[in-house]
Amino acid sequence: MPVKSVIFAIALIITVSFIVYLTETLVPLSVKSKMNTYCRNALFGMEIDGRLTEERKQELIDILEEIGLDNIQVAGTQSAPYGGSITLSVEADYTQSRLTGLLYRKDTTYHMEYRRSAIARRVIN
């Protein structure tokens, strides 16, 4: 009977570790998805303004810091006429403590990038 308890405990530890590992694998994907959404919204604002304003840049940096990113670098077109091309480039790092062994954790850093181009246009309602 004690053997069954030991085997059950080991199986439970392995199962929980596997579930934690899978969950931790999905977290960076979620952060990258949020980053893409916020950067896309900033690019839409750039389309209307024809440039990346300092206010929009600082707002984007603040939002990205809130979701856990650091070493954020934002670059964008400073001035473009309507019909001209604008670009937005964002780079950031995401650090996460991940399960590397059965019961061991290690910090892992993911480098995330967003680079898109669009056309500056005037929106008329």
Side-chain angles (χ1 to χ4, degrees), residues 4-111:
K4 286 185 179 182
S5 299
V6 172
I7 292 175
F8 177 75
I10 292 172
L12 183 65
I13 290 172
I14 291 172
T15 303
V16 169
S17 295
F18 184 70
I19 291 171
V20 168
Y21 178 79
L22 287 178
T23 304
E24 289 178 347
T25 302
L26 296 176
V27 170
L29 296 174
S30 174
V31 171
K32 175 64 172 151
S33 175
K34 287 180 184 178
M35 177 183 162
N36 286 348
T37 300
Y38 295 130
C39 291
R40 186 170 182 236
N41 289 338
L43 186 62
F44 285 152
M46 285 177 63
E47 287 180 9
I48 295 170
D49 295 338
R51 63 189 177 103
L52 178 62
T53 62
E54 284 300 319
E55 297 83 22
R56 189 176 314 280
K57 180 178 178 179
Q58 189 58 45
E59 179 183 340
L60 181 60
I61 290 172
D62 292 341
I63 289 172
L64 294 178
E65 285 175 347
E66 285 178 15
I67 63 172
L69 296 171
D70 53 353
N71 298 330
I72 302 168
Q73 299 173 354
V74 178
T77 303
Q78 295 301 316
S79 178
Y82 288 114
S85 178
I86 57 171
T87 59
L88 177 63
S89 175
V90 179
E91 294 184 25
D93 292 331
Y94 179 70
T95 303
Q96 175 190 25
S97 176
R98 288 200 56 169
L99 197 63
T100 57
L102 190 59
L103 298 172
Y104 299 104
R105 299 190 75 73
K106 179 182 171 186
D107 283 344
T108 305
T109 300
Y110 300 95
H111 185 73

